[in-house]
Amino acid sequence: MIHRPLGATGLTVSEIGFGAWGLGSTMWLGVPEDEGNAALRAALDEGVTFIDTALAYGDGHSEKRIGAVLEERGDRGRIAVATKIPPKDFRWPGRADAALADVFPASWVVSCCETSLRNLGVEALDLQQFHVWHDAWLEQPEWESTRAAMEKLTVEGKVRHWGISVNDHDPDSAVRTLSDSIFGSVQLIYNIFDRAAEGRAFDLARERNLGVIVRVPFDEGALTGAIRADTVFPEGDWRHRYFRDDRKAEAERRADALAELLGGEAATLPELALRFILSRREVSSVIPGMRRPEHARSNAAVSDGRALSSALLRKLRAHAWEKNWYGA
């Protein structure tokens, strides 16, 4: 497993990280909890040293499962764990017209950090992130007290580093805030379909030496080729909404077009998707969701130092796809 610096934080993380949304067991369904735990163990066995979770994933359930697995393995302190503070109003994405006092008031930030510390069973959070953000909130008076609470948590040794998980498909929504020195990382969507981060977000990451955590590398499954027109999701699974109407058929068509590029540089679509992201030096870690051990092993195997050729990267530009299925 190859490791990369998380910007200027001093943390070094595996370039393939573990995305733990699925461990929340409330939105991604169809996989037993013991298999999800086995996936986490397999990822750690393969050299993964970075886990990304959130308090909102199963109301802390994902954090608790991670804490239990790390405890049983004696891996606390060896594995870097990032988590996130949910917006108090539980509205995603962050909106310019929202009041920061209703989203991230100081008392809420402190309370969520304390809860995550208990769930994970640790004394300090390696990386605490805001789960949504909007630069418009900088102009509101609440920001001063919220930032003061962040500084206090840092001084107390409860949070080592701060970051922002920026709005879906809108990486520019936090660029001004991320210029603040209190932040050391940014988490954003970046994949073969969604190239928006290649603008101001990556520019700022290079200028400030921010750690870059890439989520949604497989576009919730569309970039794996596993979503077909006749795919049926478990009852209650959130993907019923994401892939509603004719979206499954469109995802199948685009995945099949990408499959024509498979060959010497990538044998499968998931491998192609991960190698595309790791070909960017701005990226510190990519965090695919892994709910089965075989997925953890195949994802980790991509970390071998082979970037995609410039010729293949040029061909992939034709597959960029501007959409937002979260908000539509």
Side-chain angles (χ1 to χ4, degrees), residues 37 40-41 44 64-74:
N37 289 347
L40 178 54
R41 295 187 189 99
L44 297 173
K64 292 175 183 176
R65 290 173 68 181
I66 291 164
V69 169
L70 294 182
E71 174 67 19
E72 77 179 29
R73 293 171 57 94

Side-chain angles (χ1 to χ4, degrees), residues 166-172 188-203 206 212 214-217 219 223 254 258 261 272-280 282-283 308-324:
V166 302
N167 290 344
D168 299 328
H169 306 293
D170 188 12
D172 292 347
L188 41 74
I189 293 175
Y190 181 61
N191 57 49
I192 291 172
F193 290 154
D194 189 333
R195 308 295 193 89
E198 293 176 351
R200 294 175 64 198
F202 277 176
D203 288 344
R206 287 191 299 271
V212 175
V214 171
R215 70 179 187 268
V216 198
D219 190 19
L223 277 164
R254 289 180 179 268
L258 270 175
L261 298 177
L272 179 66
L274 292 177
R275 289 197 187 281
F276 166 78
I277 294 164
L278 293 177
S279 295
R280 297 291 306 218
E282 297 92 343
V283 174
L308 297 181
S309 68
S310 56
L312 182 51
L313 289 171
R314 282 194 297 272
K315 291 178 181 177
L316 289 173
R317 287 203 168 276
H319 294 268
W321 181 14
E322 187 173 342
K323 64 176 175 61
N324 184 355

Side-chain angles (χ1 to χ4, degrees), residues 220-272:
E220 311 299 9
L223 277 164
T224 67
I227 305 299
R228 317 304 289 176
D230 59 355
T231 295
V232 178
F233 301 111
E235 186 66 31
D237 192 293
W238 79 282
R239 288 169 293 178
H240 280 289
R241 180 182 181 280
Y242 189 80
F243 288 106
R244 69 179 183 271
D245 303 327
D246 62 348
R247 292 177 177 181
K248 287 184 289 187
E250 179 66 5
E252 177 182 355
R253 184 184 71 78
R254 289 180 179 268
D256 288 349
L258 270 175
E260 296 178 8
L261 298 177
L262 298 177
E265 297 191 47
T268 67
L269 286 175
E271 180 185 356
L272 179 66

